[in-house]
Amino acid sequence: MKNEDINRLYDNGILSLLDVHFAGFMLRLAENGVAELALAAALVSKFTGEGHICLDLASLAGKPLLPEGSENEVIVCPKLSAWRTLLESCPIVGMPGDYKPLILDDKSRLYLYRYWDYEKKLAVTLRKRIAKPDETIDFPLLREGLRRIFPVNEAEDTDWQKVAAATAVLKKFCVVSGGPGTGKTSTVVKILVLLLEQARTRVLRIALAAPTGKAAARLQTAVKNAKKGLDCSEEIKQAIPEETFTIHRLLGSLPYSPYFRYNGENKLSFDVVVVDEVSMVSLALMSKLNEAIPLNSRLVLLGDKNQLASVEAGAVLGDICDTGRVHSFTRQYSEIIQSITEETVDIKTTDDESGMDNCIVHLQKSFRFGSDSGIDKVSRAVNKGDGNRALRILKSNKFQDIKWSTLPRPNALFDILKERIITGFERYLKASDPEEALRLFDRFRILCAVRNGPYGVAALNHLSEEILTKEKLIVTDRKWYPGRPVLIDHNDYDLRLFNGDVGIILPDPKMNNEPHAFFSSEGGAVRKFSLVRLPELETVYAMTVHKSQGSEFDDVLFVMPDRQSPVLTRELIYTGITRAKKSIKIEGVESVFKDAVAHRIERSSGLRDALWGV
């Protein structure tokens, strides 16, 4: 291994310029740093940028980093024992607990210090929360409340919503996971009823939060709707909050800073914190949120563990749920749950010392999709990694809500997609009221797996503009044309506009019809912004599946690429399909679809080990 090999890796597209500069910086800090340190530093930078929390040295040790070529071109990672020995001797590499730029643990995971610190703090706070029992539960009152607010279960299947509600009351930490339409939000509203009844005359301070403004607005709407049919007193209904926050607003983001007003030293003043769409939350944000919530407070997480992980580093919900492994309650806890809920649950034969098993409930029944739903059947097949079955269902023509079409050649996209694009977008483009336009725009979206190439976001956005211009629905003679949909690319804490937020450019009658950007807020209102104040953004007739997380659309056109890509995974296909509430059409190549379903996303992390003790 030679120092110049880092530049060769950059020339071959393995490393980015940032990775190379970070490696050089680490070498300068180490003074007499060796090439093996530079390689490790460059790779940990690369892996963190790709969403991993750490670099698993064992997964690369002894393996080539460049495609096979002549002997002079081969660059091979050092053997694990030699690599560890060299890194352990470097003054800038420490063990867990040290304050060094790089941290190497006993399982050969190499971290940037701040990500090791995020992971450690999150694991510690969650374990403490799990170990803190609630000794104030009024069990007779809880049993009565469960019977009252959950209808009698006529089916033989377990009512997992009821089990989840009981668990969230019994535990200071609870995860309610489930796919679209399984009733996560309606369940959490019933949880709040039970907690408010347990509090009796004591005021219970409750916060409802989500990662993005769109997800927070959806949470608010769902809570309002779920409150209407509750079997509880009017006083309890009034005590359930309808205001929702983005996590950033809840924590109090500080301008031009990655820090927040509320933190480990200045705690939030809520007794219960509910967070929706947790699959979207990065390790850094989840760690900061957990630190800011007092250990005596209750934390309830909602999300779909099978969805894509955060765009930023970490797969927090997957690690917390130990996705890919089957778990059930411990024997002791199963007996408690069965006595309280009168529901039958699986009993684990061995005890779980971590306590995690008893904090996680998976909702399994979909109330949105009936037995005739192709979306439900395809998403379940994808979840199981059965690409052949998923494809058979898509191509069977037995279901009205799904359709498969062979991906056309790039030069045929205009004619084949023209009608669908016009039908999908013309209604919002004819709306003059910003609130109505935003609502209508969310009825249809084009989703892509990749950003670049003929089937990527950039190409499909350009194609949509071309089609809509020829149809005279938009006039693209200037950048800020009326009706242009835009997607925020970077967080702006001052404006409270965050990565993934969607808005529309429209003339403002109150400002001489000058164009302004209109966005939905987490409170449900429409917010208006001057164009000169907007952070980086892009047009969004089409968006990546990653950016669509936290959103749902009546109808979806999912355009897949014509070849395999590292981003094409089972989780991406599942997330794309489940963004559709009513119908989805997939344009794709069969072999690419099946390969994607067979490939699971894997992000290197030590959080799963720290929580589950594996």
Side-chain angles (χ1 to χ4, degrees):
M1 185 73 203
K2 304 180 292 295
N3 283 332
E4 54 264 32
D5 287 341
I6 299 296
N7 291 326
R8 290 173 55 203
L9 289 171
Y10 169 71
D11 292 338
N12 282 273
I14 305 298
L15 300 176
S16 69
L17 195 57
L18 173 63
D19 303 332
V20 174
H21 282 299
F22 181 75
F25 177 53
M26 291 295 102
L27 282 178
R28 291 193 296 274
L29 280 182
E31 295 182 350
N32 296 320
V34 294
E36 287 78 5
L37 169 64
L39 178 63
L43 289 174
V44 78
S45 171
K46 168 187 169 66
F47 272 60
T48 304
E50 292 175 351
H52 300 272
I53 299 305
C54 55
L55 168 66
D56 182 3
L57 294 178
S59 69
L60 294 179
K63 296 180 181 178
L65 289 174
L66 286 178
E68 291 185 12
S70 66
E71 283 189 19
N72 293 330
E73 293 177 344
V74 173
I75 297 177
V76 179
C77 291
K79 297 292 185 181
L80 182 59
S81 58
W83 209 355
R84 276 198 65 105
T85 300
L86 286 167
L87 292 176
E88 287 170 347
S89 66
C90 291
I92 63 167
V93 179
M95 299 298 288
D98 293 340
Y99 188 58
K100 299 286 184 71
L102 299 173
I103 300 296
L104 179 64
D105 73 6
D106 58 359
K107 293 192 175 181
S108 298
R109 291 181 291 230
L110 185 68
Y111 295 80
L112 299 176
Y113 174 82
R114 66 187 176 112
Y115 282 99
W116 172 83
D117 192 48
Y118 288 145
E119 184 179 278
K120 180 203 70 173
K121 286 177 177 175
L122 178 57
V124 167
T125 54
L126 287 181
R127 293 296 292 268
K128 284 182 178 179
R129 210 178 294 281
I130 291 166
K132 204 170 183 67
D134 189 339
E135 298 175 347
T136 66
I137 302 299
D138 183 333
F139 286 92
L141 179 62
L142 176 57
R143 288 189 185 94
E144 188 278 327
L146 287 167
R147 291 193 192 104
R148 177 171 23 90
I149 65 176
F150 285 91
V152 176
N153 185 14
E154 300 291 349
E156 294 182 2
D157 295 338
T158 300
D159 186 345
W160 288 106
Q161 289 190 9
K162 192 176 184 180
V163 173
T167 299
V169 174
L170 295 173
K171 301 290 183 180
K172 291 286 188 178
F173 173 69
C174 176
V175 178
V176 182
S177 177
T182 51
K184 295 186 292 293
T185 309
S186 61
T187 300
V188 88
V189 173
K190 293 176 181 179
I191 290 169
L192 297 180
V193 170
L194 296 170
L195 290 173
L196 286 163
E197 290 177 348
Q198 289 284 322
R200 296 185 184 273
T201 58
R202 182 170 60 89
V203 174
L204 199 65
R205 297 161 297 181
I206 301 169
L208 305 175
T212 66
K214 175 62 66 67
R218 284 184 54 231
L219 176 61
Q220 182 186 63
T221 301
V223 169
K224 285 182 178 178
N225 292 336
K227 283 172 64 173
K228 295 174 184 176
L230 289 173
D231 185 3
C232 63
S233 69
E234 195 60 34
E235 184 182 5
I236 293 291
K237 286 184 183 180
Q238 293 299 321
I240 298 173
E242 293 184 356
E243 181 184 15
T244 54
F245 301 84
T246 59
I247 298 175
H248 292 84
R249 186 162 79 93
L250 179 69
L251 292 176
S253 54
L254 299 175
Y256 313 108
S257 167
Y259 303 107
F260 294 95
R261 177 186 172 193
Y262 295 101
N263 49 49
E265 303 300 320
N266 182 32
K267 303 282 189 179
L268 290 162
S269 59
F270 294 102
D271 303 301
V272 180
V273 177
V274 175
V275 186
D276 196 10
E277 298 289 356
V278 177
S279 63
M280 300 171 63
V281 182
S282 67
L283 172 72
L285 188 57
M286 183 58 77
S287 180
K288 292 173 183 179
L289 174 64
N290 261 273
E291 273 207 286
I293 299 173
L295 286 177
N296 283 328
S297 298
R298 198 176 305 269
L299 175 61
V300 181
L301 304 181
L302 311 177
D304 186 345
K305 65 185 179 65
N306 296 308
Q307 273 193 37
L308 278 167
S310 164
V311 175
E312 299 175 56
V316 174
L317 185 60
D319 284 343
I320 290 174
C321 294
D322 200 19
T323 303
R325 295 187 180 94
V326 177
H327 292 277
S328 56
F329 297 143
T330 59
R331 179 176 296 277
Q332 182 181 10
Y333 187 66
S334 295
E335 293 171 354
I336 294 172
I337 279 292
Q338 289 180 165
S339 69
I340 293 173
T341 65
E342 301 171 337
E343 297 288 334
T344 302
V345 297
D346 295 331
I347 297 177
K348 193 175 183 182
T349 55
T350 57
D351 285 335
D352 166 32
E353 295 180 1
S354 73
M356 290 295 295
D357 271 336
N358 298 334
C359 296
I360 299 169
V361 182
H362 302 294
L363 305 183
Q364 299 166 25
K365 180 180 178 181
S366 175
F367 296 90
R368 176 183 302 167
F369 304 117
S371 59
D372 60 341
S373 169
I375 293 175
D376 184 55
K377 286 180 168 54
V378 169
S379 61
R380 289 179 185 274
V382 169
N383 254 341
K384 293 177 180 178
D386 194 341
N388 288 320
R389 174 170 168 74
L391 203 53
R392 284 198 303 272
I393 296 169
L394 280 166
K395 296 173 66 179
S396 68
N397 293 322
K398 292 181 180 179
F399 304 98
Q400 298 297 314
D401 58 343
I402 56 170
K403 185 177 181 181
W404 171 271
S405 182
T406 300
L407 187 70
R409 296 182 63 82
N411 59 7
L413 282 172
F414 185 98
D415 292 330
I416 290 177
L417 300 186
K418 177 181 176 181
E419 183 180 348
R420 188 70 194 89
I421 287 173
I422 292 171
T423 303
F425 292 126
E426 66 177 341
R427 289 190 65 191
Y428 102 82
L429 288 168
K430 291 179 179 179
S432 57
D433 175 65
E435 185 175 358
E436 182 187 15
L438 285 164
R439 179 177 57 81
L440 291 173
F441 181 62
D442 272 348
R443 289 188 173 183
F444 172 70
R445 198 62 47 87
I446 303 170
L447 299 184
C448 302
V450 295
R451 298 192 59 81
N452 301 314
Y455 306 104
V457 166
L460 268 295
N461 274 318
H462 178 75
L463 178 70
S464 298
E465 285 187 324
E466 186 181 358
I467 289 171
L468 296 173
T469 299
K470 289 192 175 182
E471 195 66 16
K472 295 185 170 50
L473 288 169
I474 59 174
V475 179
T476 55
D477 58 343
R478 56 188 184 275
K479 178 181 179 181
W480 303 112
Y481 62 83
R484 181 188 172 192
V486 292
L487 176 79
I488 299 298
D489 277 338
H490 290 87
N491 294 338
D492 188 312
Y493 299 106
D494 288 341
L495 297 180
R496 287 195 286 112
L497 287 174
F498 301 105
N499 191 353
D501 286 351
V502 171
I504 298 176
I505 308 301
L506 290 171
D508 183 7
K510 297 179 181 179
M511 302 292 290
N512 296 320
N513 284 326
E514 285 293 317
H516 281 72
F518 295 86
F519 289 81
S520 296
S521 72
E522 61 266 38
V526 174
R527 296 194 295 154
K528 177 179 68 176
F529 297 91
S530 168
L531 302 181
V532 296
R533 299 185 66 198
L534 295 176
E536 290 184 47
L537 48 74
E538 59 185 279
T539 302
V540 69
Y541 297 103
M543 66 196 304
T544 61
V545 174
H546 272 92
K547 289 291 182 77
S548 74
Q549 285 182 271
S551 299
E552 291 178 337
F553 315 103
D554 287 350
D555 306 301
V556 167
L557 173 63
F558 186 5
V559 180
M560 294 183 61
D562 60 347
R563 62 200 67 188
Q564 187 55 269
S565 163
V567 304
L568 276 175
T569 63
R570 182 183 310 175
E571 291 83 358
L572 183 136
I573 302 298
Y574 171 80
T575 303
I577 291 171
T578 54
R579 295 312 86 204
K581 292 192 289 185
K582 293 183 179 179
S583 74
I584 182 169
K585 181 181 181 183
I586 301 178
E587 301 275 352
V589 177
E590 291 186 21
S591 60
V592 173
F593 179 87
K594 289 191 287 187
D595 286 346
V597 172
H599 177 56
R600 296 207 72 149
I601 190 170
E602 293 183 9
R603 287 190 170 181
S604 298
S605 162
L607 181 61
R608 190 179 301 230
D609 288 3
L611 292 175
W612 290 91
V614 295

